[in-house]
Amino acid sequence: MGSSENGIDIQNNKHKNYEAIAKRFFQPMEQNAVATGGLIYFMAIWSRKEAFIKYHGSSIGDTIDWLDVSDQGKPADQVEYNHQTIIFTEIKFNPVSVTFHFKLSSS
């Protein structure tokens, strides 16, 4: 990650009510991904959103429901936001998932 700013989220993969959380906070495409990939996709999407929020210093209530971090039915490896390419890198240490978020480039 070098000297670039980044956001990090660490999650324990134990969300009992993940489907209800997804319905409340996720975009429709993210909800579809969770319906397909279950808890694994939920955790990947949730940790991407949290890492993004931490990177930008915004609150979860201001950001989490409008930010879509899915891509063609699965968690996205990168998204475009505010003329920037945002890259997500995930490292899994079962049952813990660590997601790093950082800015790759701007236009």
Side-chain angles (χ1 to χ4, degrees), residues 7 14 16 28-29 31 33-34 40 43 56 58 61 72 76 82 104:
K14 294 181 180 179
K16 294 180 182 177
M29 295 301 289
Q31 292 175 26
V34 170
I40 303 267
M43 293 305 303
H56 286 285
S58 58
Q72 298 181 11
N82 201 24
L104 176 66

Side-chain angles (χ1 to χ4, degrees), residues 40-74:
I40 303 267
Y41 278 12
F42 170 82
M43 293 305 303
I45 291 169
W46 185 264
S47 62
R48 282 162 171 75
K49 286 177 175 277
E50 290 249 4
F52 179 91
I53 290 163
K54 291 173 183 173
Y55 170 77
H56 286 285
S58 58
S59 75
I60 196 164
D62 293 338
T63 310
I64 200 161
D65 58 349
W66 62 259
L67 175 66
D68 186 346
V69 295
S70 66
D71 181 32
Q72 298 181 11
K74 61 183 173 95

Side-chain angles (χ1 to χ4, degrees), residues 13-102:
N13 294 334
K14 294 181 180 179
H15 278 279
K16 294 180 182 177
N17 298 320
Y18 73 91
E19 292 165 323
I21 295 168
K23 285 181 183 177
R24 181 170 179 196
F25 294 109
F26 287 9
Q27 292 288 313
M29 295 301 289
E30 294 170 328
Q31 292 175 26
N32 291 341
V34 170
T36 301
L39 180 60
I40 303 267
Y41 278 12
F42 170 82
M43 293 305 303
I45 291 169
W46 185 264
S47 62
R48 282 162 171 75
K49 286 177 175 277
E50 290 249 4
F52 179 91
I53 290 163
K54 291 173 183 173
Y55 170 77
H56 286 285
S58 58
S59 75
I60 196 164
D62 293 338
T63 310
I64 200 161
D65 58 349
W66 62 259
L67 175 66
D68 186 346
V69 295
S70 66
D71 181 32
Q72 298 181 11
K74 61 183 173 95
D77 294 327
Q78 68 183 42
V79 296
E80 297 296 320
Y81 172 76
N82 201 24
H83 307 291
Q84 299 175 347
T85 300
I86 306 299
I87 303 294
F88 298 104
T89 303
E90 188 171 349
I91 303 170
K92 295 180 182 178
F93 305 97
N94 285 334
V96 176
S97 175
V98 180
T99 299
F100 299 94
H101 155 270
F102 59 97

